[in-house]
Amino acid sequence: MRALLLIAAAVLSAAAQAARAGDSEPAWRASALALVPAGYVAGTAYRTEGSTGYLAVYPATSNDPKTRASAFAARQALVVTLTADATRATSAELQPRIEPDPDNDDNDFARLHAELAAKRATLPAGTEPCDLDAWSIDKDSSGLNVRAEPSVKARVLGTLPPPYRLRLGGAENTPEGGWLTEFRIIGFKDGWFLIEGARPPGKDYEDEKRYPRNAPRPYAGRGWVASNKVGANYANGATRMGGLFQAPFIDAKWMPAQRELGGALDTDGGPKRIFACSGLWGLVESHDGVRGWWRALCSNQVTNCS
């Protein structure tokens, strides 16, 4: 069901974005940038109504792992007073956003985020709800510790196997680096991901009948893993390709970024680092050093998630 909802939202969102792809930036936005309060970063000028313009703005710390933004937080907008011909900004005031905005193609995903927010009570106190797929990148032969609390001092519940090099006499599909252990990320707190549903490395990609009974078995329950031991691939979140967003919203400032082997960022490959998550978004660093938000991460090890 989750996959179907994501696909439906992606299709609707992509269609809306395609329809707006040729839209030009309103003339008043350039002059409004000088009116953005200190500590905020301007995003999209998302609406013009007569002599009033609306500019998306987000805290400048939104893409800092220590002060990251939340996809569930109340938003603000810079409400801009324009000249009579709506070409220049004359004044502006920071105000709460009281949308829904009927022209915002993020609304379909907002409904999915609302469902995640409703599950906050089922998570440990202070946990940011997330829904992303990922894998362990820990190569320690003893495996990645899954802990009872988001702390290195917490009890170890179990481990996730290191990369597994399956050998079936040439019939295996094992990648050069071995199969990684995949899981679902359901929350984030203080540099730790709350995960569940870990699966035996490579079992989803190999012949189930020949998959060894003595293959390593991961701890499949709920627990915490350090964020710097987690990786994933970019998935198609129906947002603008080629870069990252300064905050976990599609009208935040967009920043160009590159893939590991060069070329504009897309669903071919994954980030250099995953710092945090919020809802369907991951706070990541691209291989050319850009830090920002990407909507949708996946753990498919045999193809991209386009």
Side-chain angles (χ1 to χ4, degrees), residues 36-240:
V36 175
Y40 287 86
V41 175
T44 302
Y46 61 90
R47 190 162 78 238
T48 304
E49 293 181 343
S51 59
T52 303
Y54 297 84
L55 180 65
V57 292
Y58 294 95
T61 57
S62 294
N63 60 340
D64 185 331
K66 296 181 179 179
T67 54
R68 54 164 184 77
S70 171
F72 306 100
R75 293 194 276 174
Q76 293 179 298
L78 194 67
V79 181
V80 183
T81 301
L82 308 174
T83 54
D85 59 1
T87 59
R88 290 188 299 106
T90 60
S91 63
E93 181 183 5
L94 200 61
Q95 295 184 11
R97 286 182 70 164
I98 56 175
E99 274 83 3
D101 177 356
D103 296 323
N104 190 340
D105 59 5
D106 209 22
N107 285 334
D108 299 302
F109 281 91
R111 283 190 282 272
L112 296 177
H113 276 116
E115 294 174 6
L116 284 176
K119 298 178 182 179
R120 188 184 292 272
T122 67
L123 302 176
T127 301
E128 180 81 348
C130 303
D131 190 1
L132 299 169
D133 292 318
W135 52 54
S136 169
I137 59 173
D138 192 355
K139 297 181 180 180
D140 191 315
S141 60
S142 60
L144 174 60
N145 289 329
V146 181
R147 297 184 181 272
E149 302 288 342
S151 168
V152 293
K153 298 180 180 180
R155 178 169 56 93
V156 175
L157 301 173
T159 61
L160 304 181
Y164 177 49
R165 292 174 174 79
L166 176 63
R167 289 179 172 80
L168 296 174
E172 69 279 350
N173 299 313
T174 309
E176 183 177 348
W179 291 117
L180 305 177
T181 300
E182 302 176 20
F183 46 80
R184 173 74 52 79
I185 296 175
I186 62 171
F188 175 81
K189 183 179 180 181
D190 299 335
W192 294 75
F193 289 122
L194 181 61
I195 70 165
E196 65 182 14
R199 304 183 294 282
K203 188 173 183 180
D204 293 343
Y205 308 105
E206 299 285 358
D207 184 343
E208 185 175 358
K209 295 180 180 179
R210 302 189 64 187
Y211 191 80
R213 293 183 179 180
N214 63 349
R217 302 288 173 174
Y219 172 77
R222 181 177 293 189
W224 297 89
V225 296
S227 63
N228 64 349
K229 302 295 184 182
V230 172
N233 275 337
Y234 296 116
N236 185 358
T239 60
R240 182 179 178 182

